Amino acid sequence: MKKMLHTLACVSVGLTSLALSASPVASATPTAKDYPSRPVTLIVPNAPGGAIDILSRLVSEQLTKTWGQPVVVMYKPGANTVVGTDFVARSEPDGQTIGMVVTSHVINPAMRPKLPFDTIKDLAGVSLMATSQIVITATPSFPANSIAEVVAMAKQSPGKLSYASPGSGSSMHLTGELLKTETSIDMLHIPYKGSGPAYTEVMAGRVPLLIDPLFSSMPYIKAGKLKALAVAGAQRDPSAPDIPTVAETLPGFNVQSMFGLVVPRATPPDIVDKISKDIASVLATPEFKKRLNDIGMTPVGNTPAQFDAYIKTEMAKWAKVVKTTGAVAD
């Protein structure tokens, strides 16, 4: 009996050793050589709809073709993109979960000091994919026709002028706050739950000014329902060259909405580089450029190091604006 038990034990140990030697090591560090070997998830921190949704689907479609693996778009909205970005920060750092980020990504650290993640330490930039213009418009009957005239009005009647935005903490809100800081004027911010109600109020003349993306505002500008005063980017937009920039009145003023990709910080650098290079290749194609231009975006495509540097610079800029104006999030 003892001899039989000894024999069975030896057989069991031998089989276990054989199984272990034949199975892959679960903790092996992933590399770019075989990336991706399975479906990738693209986290969108906003609800479906709008430019970010269109961009996400265009990117997932093209990367699916490039990689030969499905890139699945998953929506995780909430807390001004914090919920979705936190999900990415907590994901396995293997390149299988990529996060879309927008301008609120660089504003939130100043507006929301108790973020569940550290924007720099927990997340790595992959690429700044695209930017889009923000435009300052007014109800048609508004007496001012330029940023200079708006500033003059605000200085004559401090605190009497107001502007609408699609929400506190948005890039549109902070564009207004930066304008206040740069010109030393006092304007009242009126946040709405999205752009829809903001357009209604401004077109009806109940709020004089509106700050929103150019691509969303253009139909109303062309229809004469809104009067364009200036775009917030450093240069005039090719799609609307007649609209001046704020910088033509206030040199150095430059605010644009941004759209980029991030991954968990511990993701192997070679995988981050591969994702970035593959994105850059997609953005460089004439067809993709046209599709982005059609929705009011300008393709960029930069390196992980460049995007990380951009994120740090933008965070510092908005931290200064928030501290100076006392802007708060919803």
Side-chain angles (χ1 to χ4, degrees), residues 288-304:
F288 202 86
K289 284 183 178 180
K290 183 180 184 306
R291 296 180 80 174
L292 289 194
N293 290 335
D294 288 343
I295 57 172
M297 292 186 183
T298 300
V300 181
N302 60 9
T303 67

Side-chain angles (χ1 to χ4, degrees), residues 221-255:
I221 295 170
K222 290 180 178 179
K225 295 181 179 180
L226 286 175
K227 176 169 57 178
L229 300 179
V231 291
Q235 299 178 348
R236 295 193 182 199
D237 193 274
S239 68
D242 293 337
I243 303 176
T245 67
V246 176
E248 290 171 36
T249 300
L250 301 171
F253 194 99
N254 182 19
V255 181

Side-chain angles (χ1 to χ4, degrees), residues 122-270:
D122 296 336
L123 293 157
V126 175
S127 176
L128 172 61
M129 293 191 297
T131 59
S132 66
Q133 285 275 21
I134 292 171
V135 66
I136 302 173
T137 59
T139 185
S141 60
F142 187 61
N145 294 301
S146 68
I147 290 299
E149 291 178 5
V150 169
V151 172
M153 286 183 62
K155 287 186 174 181
Q156 288 176 1
S157 304
K160 300 294 184 181
L161 202 57
S162 59
Y163 73 95
S165 85
S168 294
S170 66
S171 57
M172 283 62 73
H173 168 204
L174 270 293
T175 297
E177 297 304 299
L178 181 60
L179 180 63
K180 289 165 57 176
T181 299
E182 294 293 311
T183 58
S184 300
I185 60 174
D186 183 13
M187 288 196 303
L188 176 64
H189 172 231
I190 303 180
Y192 289 88
K193 297 296 184 181
S195 297
Y199 279 107
T200 300
E201 293 298 288
V202 175
M203 288 189 292
R206 287 185 282 271
V207 181
L209 299 171
L210 170 66
I211 304 178
D212 211 44
L214 177 62
F215 63 82
S216 301
S217 301
M218 277 306 294
Y220 302 105
I221 295 170
K222 290 180 178 179
K225 295 181 179 180
L226 286 175
K227 176 169 57 178
L229 300 179
V231 291
Q235 299 178 348
R236 295 193 182 199
D237 193 274
S239 68
D242 293 337
I243 303 176
T245 67
V246 176
E248 290 171 36
T249 300
L250 301 171
F253 194 99
N254 182 19
V255 181
Q256 295 188 84
S257 292
M258 72 89 169
F259 305 84
L261 295 177
V262 297
V263 291
R265 174 59 68 181
T267 304
D270 60 336

